[in-house]
Amino acid sequence: MSVVKHETRPSKPARRSTKPARPPSKPARRPSSTTPAFVTLLVDELASSLAAAGIQRAKIESEPVGGGTKIHRISVVSPSFKTLSQAERQGIVWRIAEKALAPADQIKISMILTLTPAELEQR
């Protein structure tokens, strides 16, 4: 079973250096070769769009549903969700998904959970 994880982080102020600039590094965890491209695209787009919207430190995970299906579920956990209702959270993440994915790939997402760390601990 492949699981995709991604975490957004608050941006840090740029440091001045005399060294030549390095190209941006890749995230520490990359999806496995068995992770479908649409899942990788959605996880990356959720991470960047949520950070741009001010929803920081979002931990995003994906996993396939059941054995051998093409259906995946996504979970997004962020302390920034504390001030938002479930409807607001869902509206944000699904708007991102609708922009990032073709309709044929959108139907392969069974659900997107949106929780705060405290709500996740209660489960």
Side-chain angles (χ1 to χ4, degrees), residues 30-94:
R30 295 304 302 163
S32 72
S33 61
T34 59
T35 302
F38 77 92
V39 172
T40 302
L41 176 65
L42 179 57
V43 169
D44 289 346
E45 190 61 33
L46 282 168
S48 62
S49 296
L50 289 172
I55 298 173
Q56 300 297 325
R57 298 188 339 253
K59 293 181 183 178
I60 305 165
E61 296 183 13
S62 167
E63 63 181 343
V65 176
T69 69
K70 295 180 181 181
I71 307 297
H72 283 71
R73 65 180 150 238
I74 311 289
S75 65
V76 183
V77 179
S78 173
S80 299
F81 284 149
K82 187 176 182 179
T83 61
L84 300 173
S85 70
Q86 263 307 330
E88 291 169 319
R89 299 173 194 181
Q90 290 292 308
I92 292 167
V93 297
W94 280 104

